[in-house]
Amino acid sequence: MRRMLALICLLLSAALLSACGGETPEPAPEGGGDRPEPVELTLWTFPVGNWGNPTAVSNILTGFHREYPNIHVSVEYLNYESGDEKIEQAAAGGGMPDLVLEGPERLVASWGEKGWMADLSDLWTSDTAGMIYDNIREACQHSSGAYYEFPICMSAHCMAVNYDMFREAGALQYIDEETHTWTTEGFIEAVHALAAYGQKSAGIIYCKNQSGDQGTRALVTNLYGGSFTDGEHTRYTVDSEENTRALQLLYDLEGITFEPSLSSLDAIDLFCKKETAMCFCWNASIEIQQTINNPYLDFEIFPMAFPTSGGALELQGGIWGFGVFDNGSGERIEAAKTFIRYIAENDVPYTRAVRASSYWPVRDVGNIYENDKLMTEYSIFTPYTGDYYQITPKWADARTAWWQMLTKIGSGTSVPEAVKGFLSSD
């Protein structure tokens, strides 16, 4: 109930901000409305928080269209089930959008690597860009030196447990409620306690596709101090002894199951229906959306870091921002950059854009979630953000190989054999 009231207050505040328009936007950059001919841009956005909500996005675009009447941005909303395929099809057919909102693993390591993206290096020369955190800057730059993304927000992905179920099963003793952390041994004991309590499903290793794979990767690599790549981002280390041991532990634990037929969205839904005690794909944005839209949700969600065996905790970081597809039109590319500048360099639209994501700014603009208990609670995970390895070469192949490897384990292939075949030609 406490979390529900906090979310209702958050939503009411957001509604008032949208209705009132917030503060008066800063004046447009010089020459903003002087384009002689209208420019039509398309923005495709993945559901990054409320960036998948037409009403929220419309509120953000209204200010831009007011300042730049000769640039019109139309929006198409993607999802993580079919969004990548839709981009691939658009590229094959020559109908790519002008702008896209997503992360470096797609904009830099995948689509940038394929030569589809426009270089945004000139956007990185501004004073605003100079305030962006160094690790975020590095993730947005391709090895060629080109910048294929201008970031807007960031987060650290976590997992979640059913607090009520953990309490009833006597499993709360195995977590640190103050720091939202726990050990690998505590995780094992909690699963045992849930099984003894009669909860058949403690957690699901979903592996139908790559959706939500940041959760399963972080779970596996943290259990025994493993890693997904080497520190220089030159090769994948999934077949390490630490990762193999972690996968074997998960396979052997009663109550943890590998489910090739389930996606991360399915796992989230089952968690919210109380059919499983944990969810390995979680963050603040998911909790907000589920609290608003899921009628089955009637228990207290307790966000948790992934369990560790005593080593450094490294949560999978998320970075989201804008990329510009190179469609061969210099005019549209420049107009797209104008849109990015408007969002990123003016505090009012920037704050509104970040709040719509339900994540955190990539530069210091003060506490944009003051008096917001839920976002304050999730901010505890940000310092645990680990290496952003998603820019390693062949990242798209590695993502596919990861869920296919988990599928093999769930279908009966031994862990050592499945791990050995990671990214192999067969």
Side-chain angles (χ1 to χ4, degrees):
M1 181 62 69
R2 171 183 62 82
R3 301 173 72 83
M4 189 75 72
L5 289 173
L7 277 170
I8 291 172
C9 292
L10 171 63
L11 291 171
L12 287 173
S13 297
L16 288 172
L17 178 62
S18 297
C20 298
E23 303 172 36
T24 302
E26 294 183 10
E30 185 177 351
D34 294 338
R35 292 186 179 277
E37 296 293 335
V39 179
E40 295 288 335
L41 298 179
T42 54
L43 164 64
W44 287 10
T45 174
F46 282 81
V48 180
N50 268 331
W51 276 90
N53 182 315
T55 300
V57 176
S58 177
N59 289 335
I60 293 170
L61 291 180
T62 296
F64 175 75
H65 289 147
R66 184 187 306 119
E67 297 296 323
Y68 296 91
N70 289 325
I71 303 176
H72 182 262
V73 181
S74 59
V75 186
E76 186 161 337
Y77 300 91
L78 307 180
N79 60 54
Y80 285 112
E81 296 290 308
S82 60
D84 292 286
E85 181 180 1
K86 189 163 187 175
I87 292 286
E88 295 283 343
Q89 291 175 347
M96 292 185 293
D98 298 291
L99 287 150
V100 63
L101 176 69
E102 234 305 284
E105 62 267 33
R106 288 179 171 87
L107 302 183
V108 179
S110 180
W111 304 329
E113 180 71 19
K114 294 176 180 178
W116 296 351
M117 309 304 295
D119 186 1
L120 305 179
S121 293
D122 54 330
L123 296 182
W124 285 88
T125 61
S126 68
D127 292 339
T128 299
M131 295 186 288
I132 294 173
Y133 306 128
D134 289 343
N135 61 325
I136 306 296
R137 170 189 286 268
E138 292 167 2
C140 294
Q141 187 174 29
H142 188 261
S143 58
S144 65
Y147 284 94
Y148 292 134
E149 176 168 350
F150 199 89
I152 298 298
C153 56
M154 60 177 288
S155 184
H157 295 289
C158 60
M159 60 176 289
V161 303
N162 181 322
Y163 188 88
D164 300 350
M165 192 180 293
F166 264 58
R167 181 182 60 245
E168 293 164 6
L172 288 180
Q173 62 182 306
Y174 302 117
I175 68 177
D176 187 324
E177 294 187 51
E178 181 178 353
T179 63
H180 293 245
T181 60
W182 50 349
T183 64
T184 298
E185 186 59 34
F187 170 75
I188 295 170
E189 292 301 323
V191 172
H192 288 163
L194 289 163
Y197 170 69
Q199 177 61 32
K200 293 183 179 180
S201 177
I204 293 171
I205 309 298
Y206 48 87
C207 45
K208 180 180 180 180
N209 51 37
Q210 68 184 27
S211 174
D213 56 357
Q214 72 277 354
T216 52
R217 293 197 309 266
L219 173 64
V220 170
T221 55
N222 274 285
L223 279 170
Y224 291 112
S227 63
F228 203 78
T229 74
D230 64 349
E232 294 72 34
H233 306 144
T234 60
R235 63 184 181 88
Y236 293 92
T237 56
V238 174
D239 60 350
S240 69
E241 179 181 348
E242 295 84 357
N243 292 336
T244 302
R245 182 184 178 192
L247 287 163
Q248 191 66 58
L249 168 70
L250 293 169
Y251 184 79
D252 292 338
L253 268 178
E254 180 183 357
I256 303 294
T257 56
F258 287 70
E259 301 290 351
S261 65
L262 299 181
S263 69
S264 62
L265 296 179
D266 298 321
I268 291 169
D269 185 56
L270 291 171
F271 174 67
C272 291
K273 290 179 178 178
K274 298 189 290 189
E275 295 186 27
T276 187
M278 312 178 199
C279 186
F280 301 126
C281 179
W282 204 257
N283 54 46
S285 178
I286 292 175
E287 176 163 350
I288 292 170
Q289 293 300 318
Q290 290 298 317
T291 302
I292 297 170
N293 300 318
N294 197 319
Y296 303 103
L297 192 60
D298 64 353
F299 61 90
E300 181 173 355
I301 297 166
F302 196 77
M304 287 290 298
F306 291 94
T308 64
S309 57
L313 170 62
E314 291 196 3
L315 298 183
Q316 175 67 71
I319 301 171
W320 295 271
F322 294 109
V324 177
F325 283 101
D326 188 350
N327 286 313
S329 169
E331 182 182 35
R332 283 162 59 190
I333 289 174
E334 288 307 310
K337 290 179 181 179
T338 297
F339 174 78
I340 296 173
R341 289 190 181 96
Y342 169 81
I343 296 292
E345 297 182 5
N346 300 292
D347 285 349
V348 172
Y350 178 66
T351 299
R352 187 173 292 137
V354 176
R355 287 180 64 91
S357 74
S358 300
Y359 293 133
W360 285 267
V362 294
R363 58 183 175 89
D364 187 5
V365 291
N367 183 6
I368 68 170
Y369 295 115
E370 190 173 2
N371 300 321
D372 185 330
K373 292 183 178 179
L374 183 138
M375 295 304 289
T376 298
E377 180 178 33
Y378 276 89
S379 68
I380 196 172
F381 300 117
T382 304
Y384 298 129
T385 302
D387 177 40
Y388 199 89
Y389 54 73
Q390 296 96 307
I391 55 175
T392 304
K394 295 186 178 180
W395 172 248
D397 295 336
R399 292 192 74 190
T400 300
W402 176 255
W403 67 262
Q404 289 179 342
M405 180 192 72
L406 297 179
T407 295
K408 289 179 181 178
I409 295 172
S411 300
T413 301
S414 71
V415 170
E417 183 178 351
V419 170
K420 186 178 179 180
F422 185 80
L423 268 186
S424 67
S425 58
D426 50 35

